[in-house]
Amino acid sequence: MNGSKRKKVIAGNWKMNKTAAEAAMLIENLIPAVKDAECEVVILVPFLNISTAIKMCEGTNIRVGAQNCHFAESGAFTGEISVPMLIEAGVEFVVVGHSERRQYFGETDDSVNKKAKAVIENGLYAIVCVGESLEEREAGDTEKVVGKQVKAALFDVSSEHIGKLIIAYEPIWAIGTGRTATPEQAQEVCKFIRETVKNLYSDEIAENMVIQYGGSMNPGNAEELLALEDVDGGLIGGASLKADDFKAIVDAANVK
Ligand code: PEP
């Protein structure tokens, strides 16, 4: 059982899904479904759905986030969205370094670090994703890869701002594949991440840090994963697109 005082964070990453009408319908169903949640409930929606999501979630316990940002405040970066723009829109969370962005959009450890700093130094929460590929796991390199990503993401992040940073452990081989990490694998790596943070900062900072698991979490496996000592929530892709499934995961996070 997770006996810590860390409040769990269940965040739904919608990825590039939901038209405006579909987004509104999903949020309408989610609001009553998760209203009694004891965990934090976050929806990470496409940029164009942010304004609808913020309006609809006002006065509810659902918090709204974006799936990416640029690290600069403004400038000649065609097609990009800055942190100040997200703040103006009312966003509270930003996903940084999702493996799909690392894989398809050239995100590097360096850009992840710059984005994470831009997000937390401006007062928003950054959900920084780390995780190994199947080849890396099979080669026995999981800790080496994840440790390097965590250290790079936290480079030059001050103790003053670290409280706004959440790390999501997302093994790449488990994302969108239906293949979930075993509870042992999830706990082992989340614990390793906490140890890494402890070595970089302090016991207290490591103990307070929210570390999520992500990768094919669903209503059937959520309770077991969310009960793990070092797993403080979930980053959920596919199962966040249906209100019933997302509610079931939120309920699983509420189980003591
Ligand atoms: C994700 O998008 O971060 C994710 C974990 O996706 P899925 O739950 O679909 O594996």
Side-chain angles (χ1 to χ4, degrees), residues 13 15 98 100 129 170 174-178 213-217 235-239:
N13 175 20
K15 312 195 190 203
H98 192 282
E100 287 152 15
C129 302
E170 297 213 305
I175 298 178
T177 58
Y213 167 79
S216 297
M217 193 184 277
L235 184 54
I236 294 109

Side-chain angles (χ1 to χ4, degrees), residues 26 77 108 134 138 144 164 185 197 222 250:
L26 176 53
F77 299 105
T108 63
L134 189 57
E138 286 174 348
K144 189 171 117 196
K164 288 277 186 179
Q185 289 169 328
V197 173
V250 168

